[in-house]
Amino acid sequence: RRVSLRRYMTKLPRDLEEDHQEKEDGTLIRLRDKMIEKEKLMEIWKHRVSSSIEWVKTEVEEIDLVRSASMGFWAGFVVTPGFMALYKVLDRCLPKQTPFSVVCRVAATVVYSVPNNTAFFAYGTCVHHVVEWYNKKNILMQEHQQNIGNGEEAEFEFPDFGAADMIENARMKIEAELWGTIINSAKLWVPTHFVNFTVIPTHFRPFTISIVSIVWNCYLSLVQHRDICVIDEIETSK
């Protein structure tokens, strides 16, 4: 009787080489797939970075520097010192935290918002008027230089500043936007000051006001640059 010993035989060297070659091929395929995947991820990452850079460049180019600078000046040199002075007066007059003192503090901030917002609209309108006059002057100067380059003799005349128009525009802007701004100011600042005077520690109160002021200044900037409707009264004679 013959007994098959095939299953007990070890693999031949040729079979071992083929298995080793298959393992190497599988490893190379996996490495190649990983490299391709890394290259795809790098391409996606480069595309996102380039898109982000282009977006930042576009946003920076579209920034209104005059508008940003005027709002920064108002927030840093008018609003913040005003609130700090108001808080010092309130701390000196109402040193103890009682329900009456909290109500008085909140009411004082609401009253303070009326002249503050009035001054802001007057300030913003004047800045806008000055910028328009400055741009108009530059355009006229460029046209004057072009005329001189073409051989034309002409005297340069500064455009009229229009102080009366600036004051009238400020008055109309205040009449159109002040009351609504005071109401929205009370909606935002009354709860903010109530929490600030009752919950927030004293040394953190200016920080809280600064954070909320960022949102409020964005709103004020939008309101200031919002056009107002002027209805001309036309007298008709029958």
Side-chain angles (χ1 to χ4, degrees):
R1 182 182 177 183
R2 292 183 180 181
V3 179
S4 178
L5 300 177
R6 183 176 298 176
R7 59 179 179 178
Y8 301 107
M9 293 174 63
T10 58
K11 292 184 177 180
L12 296 175
R14 183 180 299 175
D15 296 334
L16 293 174
E17 290 180 359
E18 291 178 356
D19 292 343
H20 183 68
Q21 185 66 33
E22 289 178 358
K23 290 181 180 179
E24 288 184 351
D25 293 341
T27 304
L28 291 175
I29 291 173
R30 287 193 296 270
L31 290 175
R32 185 186 62 186
D33 293 340
K34 288 183 179 180
M35 291 297 294
I36 293 174
E37 186 177 357
K38 287 182 179 180
E39 290 178 358
K40 290 181 179 179
L41 291 175
M42 287 295 295
E43 291 294 330
I44 295 173
W45 183 79
K46 289 180 181 179
H47 177 70
R48 289 180 178 178
V49 170
S50 61
S51 301
S52 301
I53 293 174
E54 291 297 328
W55 178 80
V56 171
K57 288 182 180 179
T58 304
E59 292 296 323
V60 170
E61 291 175 356
E62 293 179 355
I63 290 177
D64 190 342
L65 296 178
V66 175
R67 181 176 178 178
S68 301
S70 62
M71 289 301 301
F73 177 84
W74 176 260
F77 295 95
V78 179
V79 176
T80 302
F83 270 112
M84 291 178 66
L86 178 63
Y87 279 8
K88 289 181 180 179
V89 173
L90 293 175
D91 290 337
R92 186 171 59 251
C93 298
L94 303 169
K96 295 182 180 181
Q97 184 172 337
T98 61
F100 176 76
S101 65
V102 172
V103 171
C104 291
R105 287 170 180 266
V106 174
T109 56
V110 173
V111 173
Y112 174 74
S113 68
V114 177
N116 187 29
N117 293 324
T118 304
F120 170 77
F121 287 125
Y123 162 79
T125 305
C126 293
V127 170
H128 186 70
H129 182 85
V130 171
V131 171
E132 285 187 343
W133 175 83
Y134 181 77
N135 293 333
K136 183 178 180 181
K137 179 183 72 70
N138 288 338
I139 293 173
L140 293 177
M141 289 183 66
Q142 291 177 0
E143 293 177 353
H144 178 68
Q145 292 176 357
Q146 290 178 357
N147 293 333
I148 293 177
N150 295 331
E152 300 179 2
E153 295 183 358
E155 295 182 358
F156 177 75
E157 295 182 359
F158 279 91
D160 185 20
F161 183 74
D165 294 336
M166 181 180 68
I167 296 173
E168 180 63 20
N169 291 334
R171 183 189 65 79
M172 290 190 298
K173 187 66 178 179
I174 292 171
E175 290 181 354
E177 303 287 2
L178 181 60
W179 179 244
T181 304
I182 291 174
I183 294 175
N184 293 327
S185 174
K187 292 178 180 179
L188 175 66
W189 287 110
V190 168
T192 300
H193 286 303
F194 180 79
V195 174
N196 201 31
F197 288 131
T198 56
V199 179
I200 306 300
T202 305
H203 52 283
F204 284 130
R205 289 174 184 174
F207 178 75
T208 305
I209 295 300
S210 299
I211 296 299
V212 181
S213 295
I214 295 175
V215 180
W216 179 246
N217 288 333
C218 292
Y219 169 78
L220 284 180
S221 179
L222 293 175
V223 174
Q224 172 58 37
H225 289 79
R226 182 167 57 191
D227 295 332
I228 58 176
C229 296
V230 179
I231 300 176
D232 297 330
E233 296 181 358
I234 302 176
E235 296 181 357
T236 56
S237 58
K238 296 182 180 181

